[in-house]
Amino acid sequence: MFVLTSSDGKFHLISKLGRVEKSVEAHSGAVLTGRWNYDGTALLTAGEDGHIKIWSKSGMLRSTLAQNGLPVYSVAWGPDSEKVLYPLGKQLIIKPLQPSSKVLQWKAHDGVILKVDWNPVNDLILSAGEDCKYKVWDSYGRALYSSLSHEYPITSISWAPDGELFAVGSFHTLRLCDKTGWSYALEKPNTGSIFSLTWSVDGTQVAGACGNGHVIFAHVIEQHWEWNNFEVTLTKRRAMQVRNVINDAMDLLEFRDRVIKASLKYGHLVVSTSLQCYVFSTKNWNTPLIFDLKEGTVSLILQCERHFLLVDGGSLFLYSYEGRLISSPKVPGMRTDILNAQTVSLSNDTIAIKDKTDEKLIYLFDALSGKPLGDGKPLAHKIEVVEIALDQGGPASERKVAFVDKNRDLYISTVRKLGKEQRAVKIGSMVHTLAWNDLSNILCGIQDSRFTVWYYPNVAFVDKELLPKTITEKDGSEYSKSPHIVSFVENRVTIRKSDGSLVHTNISPYPAIIHDYINAAKWNEAVRLCRFVKEQTTWACLAAMAIANKDMSTAEIAYAAIGEIDKVQYINSIKDLPSKESRLAHIQLFSGNFQDAEAIILQAGLIYQAIQLNIDSYNWERALELAVKHKTHVDTVLAYRQKYLNDFNKKETNKRFLQYAEGVEVDWEKIRAKIEMELVKERERGSTGPLGPSTRSSVSTQQ
C-alpha cells in the first residue's frame, strides 16, 4: 500500500490497485508529509499545525511525538527507526521515540528549512532551505558540507539508497551530488520548482514532482571506473565504453538490461544489471561470463584477487571469477541493504562484516566455507567501529583487519588466532580514511591532516617499539577538509579531495619489494636491497619481518643497521641457545608474548626453564605455582625470592611464600648443584638449552 497526505488534514491509505482502504483525520490544516519507517510497520505524519504523529500500519494513532507552534514541512526516520529528524523554522531537531531520551537540536540554516533526509547506510543527514543552500550533517549535528547560495530556495533533496549520491531540486534546477557535498552534474529542466524527489530502489534513476504539474525522470550515467591502464565509462543506461590508455584501444560493452552496479579491479570488470551479472576479463572484453542473479537488486560489489562478493537482496554471495558460487555467509538479524564498502571487507580467504545492530562487533567468516572463523564469536571492540578493512597479501594465517573507531583511532587485529582471544593494537589516531595496498600488506591513511603510510603494520605484534620507524608521513593539508582515499594500487595512492578533484601521490616502491622477497624467503636479496636503499624505514621493516619469520641472522643485521644495540645483543644470545624450543620461546619473549614463551617451554617438558623464566621476569607467584604443581625447585623459587627481597631491604608479606618458607630449607649450595644437574641433563638430552646467566640479564632488560 501507499499513503497519500492531503490539504484537508486527512491521510489516505491506498492499496496498489488504487482502492482507498482507509481515510484518517490526522491534523488541523494540511498534512504536509508522510513517511513509512524502514520495515513498513509505522507511519509518521507532520502538518501545518506543527504536530508530528506516529500511526500504525492500519491507521491507528500510536503517539504524538511533538507539538510545535510552527509548521513542520518534512520528516525523516533515523537509520534504526528509533529516532525522527524534523525541521522547525531554521532549526533541525532529532527526537528519539523513547520519551526519556535526550533531544538534539541545532540551528542549521538562515531561512526556513523545507526538506530533510537521513540515509541509513552512511548515517548522514541532508537539509535544504529558503536560504537557497543545501547542507550535509553527521548524526551528531556536525556540519560536513554547506553549498554556495543558489538563485532560488532549495525545495527538495533526497539520498540515493546506497548513500553514495543525493539529488537536489530547485526552480528549473536538478543537481546530482556526491555524499560529501560536491556536485557531479547540473541540469536546467523547464519544470518550475521541483517539490519532491524519490530514487528507484536500485539507485539508477530519480523521479521529481514539478511545479508545472509534470513528473521528471532522470538517469544516472557517465560513472567512471579505473584500474591500472583501463578506464570504463557508463555511456548509456545499457552500454559501457572501455578505453585502454596505453594504446587508446576502445571497446563497447552492451547489456540486455540497465546497469545497476559495477566494479573494476584485479583484472576483472564485474557488472550487475537488474537480472544478470557479467564478469569481463581485461584480457578479453568480447566473451563475458554471464549468470542470473538469485534475488533483487545488487547494492554492493567487492572484489579481491581470487573472487568477488555481491550484496544482493537479503544475502551475501561470494563468487569466483568463473561464475561459481563459493559461499553465502549468514549474519543473524542483519539488514544487508545498509552495508557499504566501509562496513564490509573482502580478502582471498576472509570476509569481515561490521554489525549495524551492535556497532562494536566485527563478524569474521572463512571465505571458502562461509562459516564464522575460530569459535564463531565476533571480534569485539570497546566502542563503536566506523570503518573496517582486511589486508590483501600474505598467507591466511597472518590475515589482519584494520578498523577505525568512533574516536577516529586506528587499530589492527589478527583475524585467525586459534585458542586465544583476538588482540587489537592501536597504531594511529585521528584517522579519517584508510586503504590497504592491493597486493602487499602496506596500509595508508590520512591521519590528522598528515598522509601516513604504515609499511609493515604487523610490527605492532612483533616489536611495537619499532612501529614509528616503519611509518612515513608527509603533509596532507593540500587534500583539504575530509578527503577520501579512492584506491591504493602498487605504489600509487589516489585521493579524492572534498571538492571532488582527484589527487595522485606516490610512495616508495622498496618496502613492497621487500614484502615480495620475504614471501619468497629471499632473505639475502632483501638485505642487499636495504643496503642499496639506505633508508631507516626499509631496515626497520626488514628487522620486524625477520623476527616474525624467526630468521635471527637477518634480524641481527637489520637491528644493527638502525642502531638497536640492546636488541642485537639479545638476538645474539638467542642464537647461542642450543635447542629449537628455547630459541622459539625467547623469540616470543622478544615480541613481548610472555605466555606463549612459557607455553613453548612447558610443552617441551622443561619445567626448570619455565620456573627460571618467571623468576627472571619477577612473576614470583607464577614461578611458585609451577614449582608446587610439578613438585620441583620450590626451594629455588624461595631462594631467589629471598635474595630479591634482601636486595631491596623488604620483608616477605605474601602469604603463600610465608607458608612454603616454613617447611622448606633454603641452601644455596644444594640449589646451585640442582641447577647444574638440570643444565647437564638438558645438554645431554640435546632437546633444549639453559636460560643461563648470559641470557638472564637480557631477559630482564627486555621485560
Side-chain angles (χ1 to χ4, degrees):
M1 64 165 74
F2 66 92
V3 66
L4 191 70
T5 66
S6 58
S7 57
D8 59 1
K10 291 180 180 174
F11 69 80
H12 310 280
L13 297 173
I14 303 173
S15 73
K16 63 180 178 182
L17 300 171
R19 190 172 72 247
V20 178
E21 300 286 343
K22 190 171 188 180
S23 297
V24 179
E25 289 275 357
H27 295 264
S28 53
V31 185
L32 296 175
T33 181
R35 294 283 283 263
W36 294 102
N37 69 354
Y38 287 105
D39 53 7
T41 55
L43 172 68
L44 192 64
T45 62
E48 280 184 332
D49 56 2
H51 291 198
I52 299 172
K53 297 180 179 180
I54 297 174
W55 309 80
S56 72
K57 194 176 179 180
S58 59
M60 305 293 289
L61 180 64
R62 282 191 188 162
S63 64
T64 301
L65 190 68
Q67 298 179 354
N68 309 295
L70 294 168
V72 177
Y73 292 106
S74 181
V75 288
W77 288 95
D80 50 6
S81 297
E82 294 293 321
K83 295 175 184 168
V84 170
L85 165 75
Y86 64 93
L88 195 63
K90 301 172 185 179
Q91 308 271 328
L92 278 179
I93 298 169
I94 296 177
K95 185 158 186 179
L97 300 192
Q98 266 76 27
S100 55
S101 300
K102 188 184 167 194
V103 176
L104 187 62
Q105 181 170 348
W106 70 96
K107 187 189 173 200
H109 286 259
D110 294 326
V112 173
I113 300 169
L114 299 174
K115 273 286 192 297
V116 293
D117 200 10
W118 194 345
N119 187 267
V121 178
N122 60 29
D123 201 21
L124 297 180
I125 288 168
L126 296 172
S127 62
E130 286 188 344
D131 58 356
C132 307
K133 290 181 181 178
Y134 62 87
K135 299 187 181 186
V136 184
W137 313 83
D138 68 9
S139 55
Y140 304 102
R142 290 181 292 218
L144 303 179
Y145 180 84
S146 175
S147 74
L148 297 171
S149 212
H150 289 60
E151 284 182 74
Y152 300 99
I154 310 291
T155 47
S156 57
I157 198 158
S158 179
W159 278 114
D162 63 3
E164 293 298 316
L165 305 169
F166 64 88
V168 178
S170 181
F171 182 76
H172 288 353
T173 303
L174 179 61
R175 190 184 280 277
L176 181 69
C177 300
D178 184 76
K179 65 180 175 186
T180 50
W182 56 273
S183 182
Y184 276 108
L186 174 67
E187 294 292 329
K188 288 284 191 180
N190 190 13
T191 54
S193 289
I194 300 175
F195 288 118
S196 180
L197 288 166
T198 299
W199 287 82
S200 61
V201 177
D202 57 22
T204 59
Q205 48 191 336
V206 66
C210 310
N212 63 1
H214 291 186
V215 174
I216 187 171
F217 292 94
H219 300 275
V220 178
I221 57 165
E222 289 188 12
Q223 287 152 292
H224 288 272
W225 295 269
E226 286 179 15
W227 182 78
N228 280 5
N229 51 310
F230 291 101
E231 182 184 60
V232 177
T233 309
L234 183 68
T235 50
K236 299 176 189 167
R237 291 160 60 196
R238 296 191 182 93
M240 283 178 159
Q241 188 179 49
V242 180
R243 177 167 165 251
N244 185 338
V245 295
I246 291 176
N247 56 16
D248 229 15
M250 294 280 195
D251 283 282
L252 186 68
L253 313 178
E254 293 187 319
F255 304 93
R256 196 181 71 189
D257 309 294
R258 69 172 181 272
V259 173
I260 291 172
K261 287 277 174 200
S263 177
L264 174 63
K265 278 180 184 175
Y266 298 103
H268 290 89
L269 171 68
V270 181
V271 181
S272 75
T273 67
S274 47
L275 296 171
Q276 292 174 311
C277 182
Y278 295 73
V279 182
F280 296 87
S281 166
T282 54
K283 293 171 185 164
N284 181 3
W285 295 103
N286 300 323
T287 51
L289 188 129
I290 307 170
F291 59 89
D292 291 338
L293 292 169
K294 287 190 166 54
E295 288 187 36
T297 306
V298 171
S299 57
L300 181 67
I301 302 174
L302 290 180
Q303 286 178 263
C304 67
E305 195 178 0
R306 292 184 200 152
H307 31 243
F308 63 95
L309 185 77
L310 296 183
V311 180
D312 173 13
S315 307
L316 296 99
F317 299 103
L318 187 71
Y319 290 94
S320 69
Y321 287 115
E322 291 76 49
R324 181 172 56 84
L325 178 63
I326 298 170
S327 67
S328 177
K330 299 274 187 292
V331 183
M334 176 166 284
R335 280 176 57 198
T336 55
D337 58 323
I338 56 175
L339 296 174
N340 63 4
Q342 278 75 48
T343 55
V344 188
S345 187
L346 176 68
S347 71
N348 286 336
D349 43 66
T350 312
I351 302 169
I353 303 170
K354 189 195 85 171
D355 193 1
K356 199 80 178 176
T357 46
D358 183 352
E359 301 207 25
K360 296 174 186 172
L361 302 180
I362 300 170
Y363 288 93
L364 300 163
F365 296 92
D366 181 75
L368 301 179
S369 67
K371 291 178 180 161
L373 282 179
D375 55 5
K377 287 182 184 167
L379 174 64
H381 189 50
K382 302 187 290 287
I383 60 170
E384 289 86 348
V385 174
V386 178
E387 186 175 347
I388 62 174
L390 286 163
D391 62 5
Q392 299 297 316
S397 57
E398 292 175 18
R399 187 69 55 232
K400 305 281 185 297
V401 61
F403 58 90
V404 178
D405 66 18
K406 202 165 98 177
N407 292 342
R408 290 284 160 196
D409 290 331
L410 172 62
Y411 286 82
I412 186 168
S413 173
T414 49
V415 167
R416 294 161 194 259
K417 195 74 172 164
L418 296 171
K420 279 185 70 179
E421 199 176 329
Q422 282 139 329
R423 186 164 63 106
V425 180
K426 181 177 169 182
I427 59 168
S429 55
M430 294 308 291
V431 176
H432 301 290
T433 174
L434 77 153
W436 286 99
N437 185 267
D438 62 334
L439 295 171
S440 306
N441 288 341
I442 300 173
L443 182 67
C444 73
I446 292 174
Q447 181 177 229
D448 194 21
S449 81
R450 294 187 315 280
F451 175 71
T452 309
V453 182
W454 291 265
Y455 284 117
Y456 186 58
N458 193 38
V459 69
F461 300 99
V462 178
D463 181 359
K464 201 171 179 194
E465 291 171 10
L466 267 190
L467 182 62
K469 293 184 179 177
T470 61
I471 294 174
T472 57
E473 291 184 338
K474 63 179 178 182
D475 182 41
S477 53
E478 61 174 303
Y479 306 132
S480 67
K481 189 184 165 189
S482 64
H484 173 69
I485 296 173
V486 178
S487 66
F488 183 9
V489 177
E490 292 174 1
N491 61 331
R492 191 180 79 164
V493 182
T494 306
I495 298 167
R496 194 178 287 284
K497 291 164 65 173
S498 55
D499 62 0
S501 57
L502 289 172
V503 184
H504 302 288
T505 184
N506 285 345
I507 65 162
S508 166
Y510 300 118
I513 298 170
I514 289 175
H515 274 277
D516 293 340
Y517 279 150
I518 303 315
N519 289 337
K522 294 180 178 175
W523 294 98
N524 292 336
E525 286 89 339
V527 172
R528 279 210 297 274
L529 179 66
C530 287
R531 282 179 177 147
F532 168 73
V533 176
K534 298 190 180 83
E535 279 180 7
Q536 189 184 39
T537 46
T538 50
W539 278 118
C541 289
L542 182 62
M545 289 172 187
I547 291 290
N549 288 280
K550 303 177 178 53
D551 187 310
M552 303 320 282
S553 304
T554 309
E556 187 184 353
I557 296 166
Y559 275 111
I562 53 175
E564 301 269 357
I565 305 304
D566 54 336
K567 291 176 183 173
V568 174
Q569 275 187 326
Y570 186 45
I571 289 165
N572 264 324
S573 68
I574 293 175
K575 284 162 70 182
D576 293 341
L577 297 171
S579 84
K580 187 181 169 187
E581 287 89 350
S582 214
R583 285 196 293 272
L584 280 176
H586 276 263
I587 292 168
Q588 290 293 347
L589 206 57
F590 185 95
S591 300
N593 301 329
F594 185 86
Q595 287 170 319
D596 291 358
E598 187 195 82
I600 290 168
I601 292 178
L602 285 174
Q603 212 169 354
L606 309 173
I607 309 307
Y608 163 67
Q609 259 83 351
I611 291 169
Q612 190 65 54
L613 188 72
N614 281 286
I615 290 171
D616 290 339
S617 306
Y618 308 116
N619 289 344
W620 298 110
E621 292 201 7
R622 176 67 179 155
L624 184 62
E625 183 189 321
L626 286 172
V628 172
K629 183 179 173 187
H630 296 281
K631 298 184 180 141
T632 179
H633 287 288
V634 177
D635 54 344
T636 309
V637 179
L638 293 171
Y640 276 108
R641 170 77 170 180
Q642 194 54 54
K643 183 175 180 301
Y644 168 75
L645 291 170
N646 291 343
D647 288 348
F648 290 97
N649 295 322
K650 299 274 184 189
K651 286 193 175 178
E652 185 60 81
T653 54
N654 189 307
K655 287 179 184 173
R656 285 199 72 193
F657 278 93
L658 288 168
Q659 176 192 335
Y660 284 101
E662 285 172 14
V664 178
E665 185 191 345
V666 173
D667 183 341
W668 274 103
E669 287 300 319
K670 283 184 184 174
I671 289 167
R672 285 195 185 96
K674 262 168 72 175
I675 291 174
E676 197 54 47
M677 289 249 316
E678 287 278 0
L679 303 183
V680 170
K681 251 192 259 177
E682 297 304 337
R683 287 194 193 101
E684 283 172 0
R685 238 178 78 178
S687 64
T688 186
L691 295 176
S694 63
T695 65
R696 208 169 293 148
S697 58
S698 307
V699 177
S700 308
T701 311
Q702 181 62 19
Q703 283 296 318

